[in-house]
Amino acid sequence: MILEAKSIFKKYKGVNKELTVLDDINFSVGKGEILAIVGPSGSGKTTLLGLCAGLDNPSSGSIGLAGSVISNMTENEKAEVRNRKVGFIFQNFQLLPTLTALENVMIPLELQGRAKGAKDKAEQLLERVGLGGRSHHYPSQLSGGEQQRVSLARAFSNDPEILFADEPTGNLDEETGAIVEKLLFDLNKEKQTTLIIVTHDLELANKTDRIIKLKGGKIVSDQIIKATAQI
Amino acid sequence: MNWSLIVKTAIRDSRKDRSKLLLFMSSIILGVAALVAINSFNDNLVRDIENQSKSLLGADMTVGGNRPLNDDIVSSLDSLSTERTSEVELFSMSYLPSANESQFVRLKGLTGNFPYYGKLITEPTDAANTYKSSLAALVDDGMMLQYNLEVGDSIKLGETTFPITGRIMNAFGSVDAGASFAPSVYIGGKNVEATKLIQPGSIVNYKEYVKVDTDIDLDAWEDDRRKDFRNQGQRVTTVEDQRENLQEAFSNLNNFLNIVALISLLLACIGVASSVLIYVKTKVQSIAILRCLGMKGEEAFMVYFLQIISLGTLSVIVGVAIGSIIQVILPLVLQGFLPYEVNMSISPIAMIKGFVMGVLMTSLFALGPLLSIRRVTPLRTLRVSDEVPERDPLQWLIYGLIFITITGFLYTLTASVLDATIFSMGILVAFLILYGVARSVTWAVRKFFPSGASFVVRQGLSNLYRPNNQTLTLIVSIGLGTGILTLLFILQGLILNNVEGMGVGNQPNMIVFGIEADQKQEIEEITKSFDMPVIQNVPVVTMELAEWKGKTKKEWLSDTTRTSRRWAINREARVSYQDTIPPDDILIEGTYTGVHDGGDSIFISLDERYSEGLNVGLGDELVWNVQGAMITTYVGSIRKINFRKMESRFFILFPTGVLEDAPQFMILVTKSPEKQITADFRNAVVKSMPNASVIDLGSILVTLNDIITKVSYVIKFMAGFSILIGLIVLISSLFLSKFQRIRESVLLRTLGAVENKIYKINAVEYASLGILSALTGISLAVFGSFMLAKFVFELDFNLSWWPIIGIFVFIVALTVLIGLWNSRDVVKRSPLEILRNV
């Protein structure tokens, strides 16, 4: 298993009472699997993604990611795991505004200390997502679709074992969304990466291997779409 | 840590934002420039004092006091010196026949080859060598110009008329302001007696200028004899003393300027801290992304620390360079104070000190907000939040270090841990008050929000407490700047008012002294013939305290357990006798016996301070030596003298019926209504009684005013630094805050707010900030100046409100103008363009 969530609870202190955002979540994801997490707004999708990707800590429970129990790790240890084993794609792209497209893609490799060859690899990836000629442009000089393609190239640049995508097409029009979507699945196939997508878009969810549906912080269904999925 | 990536990211990340940081860095440039300029100036000043103190004194040592040297001292000087010059110095009236004017002068009668070091420069040059051997006078060049005198004209001093043989172009050791209203006149010592100016009651100083063999350790010699000299009422000054005195005199000025420079640097540092805080806020999202991609908290912190510290260091270097250039201007500003020329050169120590202090303060003030970077969570990539990152507990350590650095810097100025700590605490309290006001304002606006007000007012006011508000930063920086400016204005005004107050109303403005007792009627008649009132015309008898409480003066001086003060013991008593106490004096103990009944016991009245200085009380016995005759008295009463009155004040009052036959002179106090009458009266007095001197308090006031104007010029020059930095902090804070306001402004515009409305909302916000900051700063300044006036300067506290109102209006208008100028950019651009850049 590349991801294993056991008895996950996430609670926040409210004004008068405690708010439970995730309530006893248990699931696991196998290597190479493509999983969609769906659910209405406020169901806890993004919170769950954040916990699984090591961006936040659960109130209780344990999360195993790529062979390590990240729920017990310090922030710096988790940063190490994220850098070496995880890729991210965000709804609002999250490119560094002061870095060019090329530099944005190079960053994860440089963080690993692999500055040598980083440029070539980043250029190849930008070429792969169709932005070979825009590598020296800043995010503000790119359209939304182009920014998300840069974000895709960055997500794959460190050869992650697992990729987390938060509403990857949520900020894009249908046509651009379709292009990004195709690129995401194609790259994922090429790199043999495990992909976890949080989305509202059922059409996109249906293209994955497996769908986990959340409601009120609980898993209400865990459905296999394609045979490759392993529960 | 991945240092190569940290450096690379720091460079890449700063590319688009360097201009934002440069503006606030300019405040550091100015702060450091002020510090370096002042320190360089100080170094040059100290060096020149070292070089010139010998020629300023003109000899290796001087010994002087208000009585001629006794035989013991003369013989001990004889054993020491190879050469000596005697000087008799007295203040007296002079009459200028060619101008038909009279002038109060400082007359020096010299015998010997003074000066031994340096040169007395005269025009013609030869006059300096010949005036002592003949009947001749050298007159101060300024006085010659004032009365249009030429060499060859004459000057009447007492009863002798001297031809003027030369102009004095420089002076020795005349650092004091007295030179301005009593210009110097030099004559040969043998001619002093002929003037007949040395009379009972004349103010005479005797001084010996001593040239010493070079192999004698003069300071050790002086240390062995200092006590003896002091007991004889003689003061010894060596070149080393002169150097120390000068350094001390100028170190006060220098410390003051250094403190102003420190405050400028502190203001600049507030600018750094606030700008870095805002900068960090704009970078939070980027930091979260970097963290998300695997960068460690410490590495992210280092990226931004490196950016700030390198730009800070660059600014400090520029500041050091500018400061070194500015020091060339400082002597021009200060030339009115300096008794000699200061040669300006680059001071490496001042530059290093400025550099170290600049980098240290910039780093420490930037570290506060930068530390929060370590706490930026990568979760922000998933959820956009306006929350400020949590405060890092390490910040308290930073605040502690800032306090220690400031105290350490102040210690280098004051050399006293207590003084340095008290001053640092003062700065801390001012900051805390401003911080408290800013916090209270945000709380009060929220609590008592005027819900019924117009949309524009509500929006503008709510900006004071909304996320990314500038209330704290601006109230502290503008408040402090306004406070310093107002404090300087108030203090200057207070000093001027108190000085000018002496010349108005019924306050006397002229004192005639040196009148002989038989001239009492005559001087009153002259005064009345000019329609001027005789406010006081009292007799003065000089005497010396010989014995009190059963011990002689000598016994008291050698008594190591005595509590009485030396100044009170050695004082030459100028005593008056009257049948009542002066109307403004207050009797605090005993009863005043106005008329002596002829019995054995004579009851006198002492001033409170004098009785404390001598440690005597009611009933104690005091024996006086009245020019040879011993008179035994008893303390009958103690008075509190009103020192604010411009009249002659007597520490010791005798009853009538005791001193009438003693040698005495009169002092007359009057008031002249105008300048011309003053001059005519002066001339009339000098002509009919050459021994009398007329002191025109008006001209002293003019001199004082002149000095105060120069002081305030220096203060304003230095305050200018603070104000300029305050303005830059203001501009940079508002400039950076613009980026925080873009989203709100764009949204408002998208929702249909017209340009005008956005301007009005911003105007309300900035006007509120300006008003609150200025009011807080002014209140602090009023309180501070009240405390200073009351407890330090002992001045009457009368505020002149117009300059304060002027400062208030200026600060508020400036804040609003700069605020609106900044929003202009946001308002003019299309919402779409801005949306893409947000």
Side-chain angles (χ1 to χ4, degrees):
Chain A
M1 289 295 138
I2 190 149
L3 175 67
E4 197 159 16
K6 284 183 190 166
S7 308
I8 299 296
F9 285 84
K10 184 69 183 174
K11 294 172 180 178
Y12 292 103
K13 277 184 185 155
V15 182
N16 295 319
K17 59 170 190 174
E18 210 169 46
L19 188 69
T20 304
V21 181
L22 291 176
D23 190 354
D24 196 14
I25 301 290
N26 290 283
F27 72 98
S28 56
V29 181
K31 239 179 179 176
E33 204 176 331
I34 303 175
L35 169 75
I37 300 173
V38 297
S41 295
S43 59
K45 302 185 297 290
T46 304
T47 307
L48 181 58
L49 179 90
L51 293 177
C52 293
L55 298 177
D56 199 4
N57 287 328
S59 305
S60 65
S62 82
I63 295 164
L65 180 69
S68 317
V69 181
I70 58 166
S71 44
N72 294 335
M73 285 181 174
T74 64
E75 179 47 43
N76 280 346
E77 288 167 340
K78 282 191 288 186
E80 191 83 24
V81 172
R82 286 199 300 268
N83 179 235
R84 302 208 169 264
K85 298 181 175 173
V86 181
F88 289 96
I89 297 165
F90 302 97
Q91 181 176 4
N92 46 2
F93 325 133
Q94 299 290 16
L95 297 177
L96 290 159
T98 52
L99 269 56
T100 62
L102 182 71
E103 287 164 352
N104 263 292
V105 180
M106 281 161 66
I107 273 277
L109 291 168
E110 289 178 319
L111 277 167
Q112 286 182 11
R114 287 162 58 192
K116 210 174 174 186
K119 195 176 172 204
D120 291 344
K121 188 166 188 188
E123 275 171 348
Q124 280 168 22
L125 278 166
L126 282 174
E127 201 71 52
R128 175 70 183 81
V129 297
L131 291 172
R134 309 291 298 273
S135 58
H136 293 293
H137 287 207
Y138 287 98
S140 59
Q141 295 166 313
L142 301 171
S143 70
E146 287 167 334
Q147 286 189 48
Q148 195 60 306
R149 276 145 68 191
V150 175
S151 173
L152 268 175
R154 181 180 69 183
F156 283 99
S157 67
N158 59 339
D159 300 315
E161 290 182 30
I162 185 166
L163 193 70
F164 291 94
D166 179 27
E167 300 280 9
T169 56
N171 269 3
L172 304 172
D173 61 71
E174 203 174 327
E175 198 180 328
T176 316
I179 295 168
V180 167
E181 200 178 289
K182 186 173 182 318
L183 267 171
L184 174 64
F185 283 118
D186 287 353
L187 275 165
N188 189 56
K189 201 171 176 186
E190 278 169 32
K191 307 275 181 187
Q192 300 275 301
T193 317
T194 306
L195 176 62
I196 297 183
I197 306 172
V198 163
T199 183
H200 274 111
D201 183 353
L202 285 177
E203 208 176 313
L204 171 63
N206 281 324
K207 291 175 186 167
T208 64
D209 301 342
R210 177 180 160 197
I211 301 175
I212 288 178
K213 196 180 268 182
L214 285 181
K215 198 173 179 188
K218 290 179 186 246
I219 295 178
V220 290
S221 76
D222 188 346
Q223 182 190 2
I224 296 173
I225 311 287
K226 290 178 189 164
T228 50
Q230 339 167 353
I231 302 177
Chain B
M1 281 215 211
N2 186 344
W3 284 102
S4 87
L5 178 70
I6 289 169
V7 173
K8 223 182 274 179
T9 312
I11 296 169
R12 285 174 186 162
D13 184 80
S14 70
R15 271 183 311 223
K16 291 183 94 183
D17 295 323
R18 259 175 236 164
S19 58
K20 279 186 207 171
L21 287 169
L22 275 179
L23 186 62
F24 88 82
M25 284 306 179
S26 57
S27 61
I28 278 292
I29 293 178
L30 277 177
V32 172
L35 203 64
V36 172
I38 283 164
N39 275 310
S40 301
F41 175 72
N42 185 35
D43 280 359
N44 287 317
L45 193 72
V46 169
R47 193 200 54 219
D48 284 5
I49 286 174
E50 292 277 331
N51 294 340
Q52 296 180 35
S53 48
K54 208 168 196 177
S55 57
L56 273 173
L57 193 64
D60 289 310
M61 181 173 76
T62 64
V63 181
N66 57 9
R67 65 198 74 176
L69 272 63
N70 68 17
D71 294 344
D72 288 351
I73 293 179
V74 170
S75 65
S76 88
L77 287 180
D78 280 342
S79 68
L80 176 78
S81 60
T82 49
E83 267 192 85
R84 260 193 9 239
T85 290
S86 302
E87 177 192 278
V88 178
E89 182 192 68
L90 48 94
F91 289 87
S92 159
M93 290 308 288
S94 66
Y95 176 66
L96 308 163
S98 62
N100 193 24
E101 291 274 8
S102 49
Q103 168 70 40
F104 190 64
V105 294
R106 175 201 295 255
L107 177 65
K108 284 172 183 272
L110 290 147
T111 48
N113 294 322
F114 176 82
Y116 301 112
Y117 305 102
K119 205 174 167 205
L120 176 65
I121 302 169
T122 55
E123 266 182 26
T125 321
D126 193 41
N129 305 324
T130 55
Y131 77 98
K132 278 177 275 192
S133 55
S134 56
L135 190 73
L138 302 178
V139 177
D140 175 79
D141 183 51
M143 180 173 155
M144 295 280 278
L145 289 172
Q146 188 188 346
Y147 294 105
N148 212 12
L149 299 176
E150 295 293 338
V151 171
D153 287 344
S154 54
I155 181 167
K156 191 177 177 207
L157 299 160
E159 293 190 357
T160 310
T161 302
F162 293 75
I164 300 172
T165 57
R167 299 165 176 267
I168 305 169
M169 308 306 287
N170 69 340
F172 287 83
S174 55
V175 183
D176 56 311
S180 313
F181 63 90
S184 294
V185 175
Y186 287 19
I187 58 170
K190 63 176 184 178
N191 295 322
V192 174
E193 208 184 328
T195 63
K196 295 195 176 155
L197 284 170
I198 302 181
Q199 303 276 343
S202 310
I203 305 166
V204 187
N205 289 306
Y206 300 87
K207 197 186 268 181
E208 292 289 313
Y209 292 91
V210 184
K211 186 167 185 265
V212 181
D213 291 333
T214 46
D215 57 345
I216 294 172
D217 182 352
L218 203 53
D219 291 304
W221 186 91
E222 182 204 355
D223 283 345
D224 293 343
R225 290 160 184 80
R226 191 189 300 270
K227 214 172 172 187
D228 291 340
F229 283 139
R230 278 172 67 179
N231 287 343
Q232 302 288 341
Q234 300 292 339
R235 186 186 153 89
V236 184
T237 308
T238 61
V239 173
E240 191 51 41
D241 296 333
Q242 167 90 346
R243 189 177 296 155
E244 277 172 18
N245 290 345
L246 277 173
Q247 277 175 3
E248 199 175 307
F250 289 104
S251 78
N252 286 338
L253 171 71
N254 201 266
N255 284 351
F256 167 76
L257 292 177
N258 254 311
I259 285 166
V260 175
L262 176 71
I263 289 173
S264 305
L265 188 64
L266 277 178
L267 264 179
C269 288
I270 298 172
V272 168
S274 64
S275 307
V276 172
L277 181 68
I278 294 164
Y279 186 65
V280 168
K281 279 185 194 171
T282 64
K283 291 291 177 185
V284 163
Q285 208 55 24
S286 293
I287 296 163
I289 297 169
L290 286 168
R291 299 292 314 271
C292 188
L293 296 175
M295 188 174 264
K296 291 177 183 130
E298 292 75 28
E299 289 173 329
F301 163 79
M302 280 311 296
V303 166
Y304 293 96
F305 182 67
L306 213 62
Q307 279 184 4
I308 300 294
I309 201 69
S310 33
L311 275 176
T313 308
L314 187 72
S315 315
V316 169
I317 291 170
V318 176
V320 168
I322 293 177
S324 300
I325 297 167
I326 289 174
Q327 60 147 337
V328 179
I329 304 168
L330 271 181
L332 301 179
V333 178
L334 295 167
Q335 64 191 356
F337 291 104
L338 304 175
Y340 52 85
E341 199 182 330
V342 178
N343 300 304
M344 284 299 141
S345 58
I346 299 289
S347 160
I349 291 174
M351 290 170 83
I352 291 168
K353 201 170 164 188
F355 178 81
V356 171
M357 193 67 189
V359 172
L360 207 61
M361 295 286 274
T362 310
S363 314
L364 286 173
F365 273 82
L367 265 178
L370 279 175
L371 277 176
S372 56
I373 288 176
R374 300 186 330 143
R375 303 224 150 194
V376 172
T377 154
L379 203 61
R380 279 172 177 265
T381 48
L382 291 177
R383 296 192 192 281
V384 175
S385 160
D386 275 335
E387 279 173 45
V388 180
E390 283 177 61
R391 272 185 180 268
D392 194 309
L394 272 179
Q395 280 184 330
W396 292 108
L397 178 71
I398 301 295
Y399 297 148
L401 285 174
I402 290 173
F403 186 82
I404 291 168
T405 309
I406 293 172
T407 313
F409 178 77
L410 286 165
Y411 177 73
T412 65
L413 297 182
T414 58
S416 152
V417 175
L418 185 70
D419 288 355
T421 312
I422 288 173
F423 195 85
S424 311
M425 292 299 287
I427 295 176
L428 183 68
V429 168
F431 272 74
L432 286 178
I433 289 173
L434 285 161
Y435 179 86
V437 167
R439 283 273 174 247
S440 316
V441 163
T442 39
W443 174 83
V445 172
R446 201 190 275 255
K447 178 87 180 168
F448 308 106
F449 193 76
S451 317
S454 71
F455 171 74
V456 165
V457 172
R458 278 186 286 125
Q459 279 294 317
L461 286 180
S462 61
N463 279 350
L464 294 174
Y465 60 78
R466 284 160 62 192
N468 299 322
N469 68 69
Q470 289 292 293
T471 312
L472 183 63
T473 314
L474 290 185
I475 286 190
V476 171
S477 56
I478 306 175
L480 205 64
T482 312
I484 293 168
L485 181 69
T486 315
L487 186 73
L488 294 174
F489 267 102
I490 294 178
L491 281 183
Q492 190 193 347
L494 280 182
I495 294 168
L496 285 175
N497 279 345
N498 274 262
V499 170
E500 282 163 5
M502 291 173 182
V504 297
N506 287 322
Q507 286 272 44
N509 58 10
M510 244 198 254
I511 294 178
V512 188
F513 66 92
I515 311 159
E516 283 165 25
D518 57 9
Q519 293 171 324
K520 185 179 178 188
Q521 278 306 115
E522 192 185 347
I523 185 71
E524 281 194 12
E525 276 162 23
I526 296 173
T527 311
K528 282 175 185 159
S529 71
F530 282 90
D531 276 339
M532 284 164 28
V534 175
I535 297 171
Q536 228 184 357
N537 189 8
V538 288
V540 179
V541 179
T542 51
M543 56 181 78
E544 212 174 319
L545 188 56
E547 233 182 278
W548 66 103
K549 296 210 277 193
K551 275 191 195 179
T552 64
K553 182 176 171 181
K554 203 170 177 184
E555 286 167 347
W556 276 114
L557 282 172
S558 55
D559 181 355
T560 49
T561 61
R562 77 176 149 82
T563 50
S564 48
R565 311 290 300 270
R566 185 177 294 274
W567 68 265
I569 298 172
N570 274 330
R571 194 182 168 80
E572 186 188 37
R574 287 162 197 272
V575 177
S576 189
Y577 55 91
Q578 296 174 18
D579 52 11
T580 54
I581 61 166
D584 290 308
D585 288 6
I586 301 162
L587 199 64
I588 52 175
E589 266 185 85
T591 46
Y592 185 67
T593 317
V595 185
H596 177 55
D597 57 8
D600 289 342
S601 304
I602 302 167
F603 291 100
I604 59 169
S605 176
L606 300 184
D607 167 59
E608 184 192 18
R609 287 190 210 186
Y610 184 64
S611 67
E612 282 168 8
L614 269 186
N615 194 23
V616 294
L618 288 183
D620 282 338
E621 184 191 87
L622 292 90
V623 181
W624 303 91
N625 177 349
V626 186
Q627 292 165 42
M630 294 302 204
I631 299 179
T632 304
T633 61
Y634 298 91
V635 180
S637 63
I638 292 171
R639 290 163 301 131
K640 198 182 182 78
I641 293 177
N642 181 359
F643 283 92
R644 291 196 191 287
K645 278 286 198 182
M646 264 293 179
E647 287 173 29
S648 45
R649 302 168 301 236
F650 298 101
F651 277 8
I652 305 138
L653 268 186
F654 270 59
T656 55
V658 182
L659 298 172
E660 275 76 356
D661 295 331
Q664 56 193 271
F665 65 95
M666 309 298 296
I667 287 184
L668 180 130
V669 177
T670 181
K671 178 174 171 60
S672 156
E674 57 175 276
K675 252 182 160 177
Q676 189 53 49
I677 295 178
T678 304
D680 294 344
F681 174 74
R682 220 163 45 183
N683 290 346
V685 172
V686 173
K687 269 183 191 163
S688 58
M689 39 186 88
N691 52 310
S693 288
V694 183
I695 296 185
D696 174 14
L697 297 175
S699 68
I700 298 177
L701 293 183
V702 168
T703 310
L704 274 178
N705 208 355
D706 191 39
I707 294 168
I708 289 164
T709 308
K710 279 178 186 163
V711 172
S712 64
Y713 184 44
V714 175
I715 293 172
K716 279 179 197 159
F717 181 81
M718 286 315 301
F721 269 105
S722 300
I723 294 156
L724 201 59
I725 294 166
L727 284 180
I728 289 176
V729 171
L730 173 66
I731 293 169
S732 57
S733 300
L734 295 177
F735 177 77
L736 286 162
S737 76
K738 166 171 82 175
F739 297 95
Q740 303 295 319
R741 287 272 173 267
I742 285 179
R743 222 175 0 198
E744 289 104 53
S745 297
V746 168
L747 260 173
L748 283 172
R749 286 198 61 196
T750 314
L751 295 173
V754 290
E755 270 181 37
N756 210 9
K757 199 153 258 179
I758 307 254
Y759 274 133
K760 280 182 186 166
I761 291 169
N762 288 336
V764 170
E765 181 187 356
Y766 292 124
S768 316
L769 280 173
I771 290 169
L772 288 164
S773 321
L775 274 182
T776 315
I778 288 171
S779 310
L780 273 175
V782 170
F783 177 72
S785 54
F786 171 76
M787 299 299 276
L788 283 173
K790 201 88 187 156
F791 299 108
V792 179
F793 298 112
E794 295 186 5
L795 296 173
D796 291 333
F797 189 73
N798 299 312
L799 272 188
S800 129
W801 284 103
W802 284 114
I804 296 175
I805 292 169
I807 292 172
F808 175 78
V809 172
F810 173 73
I811 296 292
V812 174
L814 199 71
T815 312
V816 173
L817 276 175
I818 295 173
L820 292 184
W821 181 261
N822 268 322
S823 13
R824 178 189 51 105
D825 190 31
V826 177
V827 174
K828 290 284 177 204
R829 280 156 68 181
S830 83
L832 189 67
E833 190 191 340
I834 295 166
L835 272 176
R836 286 178 65 87
N837 283 309
V838 169

